[in-house]
């Protein structure tokens, strides 16, 4: 039991470090079978989401906070608050649910590059771990500025960092390709993902509204 916990902790730290030093190379090597030092991708994301939720409760941060317009209406506030609570309490499931949407964009734009959908799923699961680590690092800063600075500004910075990691990881992962080709395909894959996530959120909101 102690050995298993130590292996998970060591794998978590090692994988986290590698995903920021050489992300694309690390994920490609994992797919090629070099997995001894790494934590499995879905375990990686689940542990990080649990830690993320714990820190959110500790710092009293809810990034799915109700809008000012909703606060003007008791009914709107109630619905927004319920939606906020649902997202926060199910954050790990929300994170996992979006991974196939990211993967769909990657698979469409890089379908002829020697990897199948499941392998792209692993790629995007580790990318989700990257995003979670960035968000975890920024949580203390958000706690300090949440009463004096628009959190949306901070989240925009986080988003831009995530976007940079998306391109950097792809540039390493698909290294035999020309950089401009990788960047263009990465842009289109991100657009596809954004559209799919937007549709998923819209459907979710409609369903919740109908149930209420």
């Amino acid at each position: 039991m102690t050995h298993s916990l130590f292996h998970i902790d060591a794998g978590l730290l090692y994988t986290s470090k590698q995903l920021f030093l050489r992300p694309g190379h690390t994920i490609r090597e994992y797919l090629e079978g070099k997995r001894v030092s790494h934590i499995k991708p879905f375990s990686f994301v689940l542990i990080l989401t649990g830690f993320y939720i714990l820190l959110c409760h500790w710092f009293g941060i809810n990034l799915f906070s109700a809008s000012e317009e909703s606060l003007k209406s008791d009914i709107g506030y109630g619905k927004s608050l319920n939606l906020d609570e649902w997202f926060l309490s199910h954050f790990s499931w929300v994170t996992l649910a979006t991974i196939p949407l990211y993967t769909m964009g990657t698979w469409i734009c890089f379908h002829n590059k020697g990897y199948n959908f499941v392998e792209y799923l692993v790629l995007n699961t580790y990318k989700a771990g990257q995003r979670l680590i960035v968000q975890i690092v920024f949580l203390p800063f958000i706690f300090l500025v949440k009463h004096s600075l628009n959190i949306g500004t901070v989240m925009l910075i986080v988003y831009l960092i995530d976007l940079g990691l998306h391109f950097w990881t792809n540039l390493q992962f698909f290294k035999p390709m020309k950089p401009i080709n990788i960047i263009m395909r990465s842009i289109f894959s991100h657009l596809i993902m954004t559209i799919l996530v937007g549709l998923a959120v819209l459907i979710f909101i409609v369903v919740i509204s109908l149930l209420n």
Side-chain angles (χ1 to χ4, degrees):
M1 181 68 176
T2 303
H3 176 268
S4 297
L5 290 174
F6 176 77
H7 179 73
I8 290 174
D9 290 342
L12 179 67
L13 293 174
Y14 179 79
T15 301
S16 300
K17 177 182 176 181
Q18 293 301 308
L19 285 176
F20 284 89
L21 293 178
R22 46 193 304 275
H25 300 309
T26 296
I27 299 170
R28 187 177 61 253
E29 290 168 0
Y30 179 89
L31 291 174
E32 291 172 352
K34 300 176 182 178
R35 306 177 180 182
V36 175
S37 301
H38 292 285
I39 186 171
K40 294 180 180 179
F42 289 101
S43 298
F44 182 59
V45 170
L46 285 174
I47 291 173
L48 288 174
T49 51
F51 188 53
Y52 179 90
I53 292 170
L54 180 65
L55 287 178
C56 279
H57 283 297
W58 187 24
F59 287 116
I61 296 172
N62 186 359
L63 299 180
F64 306 104
S65 58
S67 64
E68 292 183 4
E69 292 77 14
S70 296
L71 291 173
K72 294 178 182 178
S73 169
D74 290 337
I75 296 177
Y77 174 72
K79 289 183 178 179
S80 296
L81 185 58
N82 290 336
L83 190 60
D84 297 340
E85 292 174 347
W86 190 94
F87 269 114
L88 189 60
S89 61
H90 297 82
F91 186 75
S92 60
W93 296 110
V94 172
T95 301
L96 288 173
T98 58
I99 292 173
L101 303 181
Y102 279 88
T103 303
M104 185 62 69
T106 306
W107 181 72
I108 290 172
C109 295
F110 294 93
H111 68 279
N112 60 343
K113 296 306 170 185
Y115 297 97
N116 58 41
F117 188 87
V118 174
E119 289 170 324
Y120 283 140
L121 191 65
V122 171
L123 169 65
N124 284 284
T125 302
Y126 277 126
K127 282 184 179 180
Q130 277 181 329
R131 294 192 297 274
L132 283 165
I133 291 172
V134 171
Q135 291 169 20
I136 287 170
V137 169
F138 269 81
L139 279 179
F141 180 69
I142 292 173
F143 172 75
L144 292 174
V145 303
K146 67 179 181 178
H147 296 302
S148 59
L149 182 68
N150 185 356
I151 290 182
T153 302
V154 180
M155 294 311 297
L156 176 61
I157 295 172
V158 172
Y159 170 74
L160 292 176
I161 293 174
D162 292 341
L163 200 58
L165 286 170
H166 167 69
F167 289 117
W168 185 34
T169 301
N170 281 356
L171 283 168
Q172 290 188 2
F173 187 82
F174 299 103
K175 191 174 182 180
M177 294 173 59
K178 293 181 179 179
I180 186 62
N181 195 358
I182 297 173
I183 291 173
M184 292 305 298
R185 291 181 186 231
S186 298
I187 291 172
F188 283 117
S189 70
H190 189 74
L191 288 175
I192 292 170
M193 176 278 301
T194 302
I195 292 170
L196 291 175
V197 170
L199 288 174
V201 170
L202 180 61
I203 292 171
F204 177 80
I205 291 174
V206 170
V207 171
I208 292 297
S209 299
L210 290 175
L211 291 177
N212 290 336

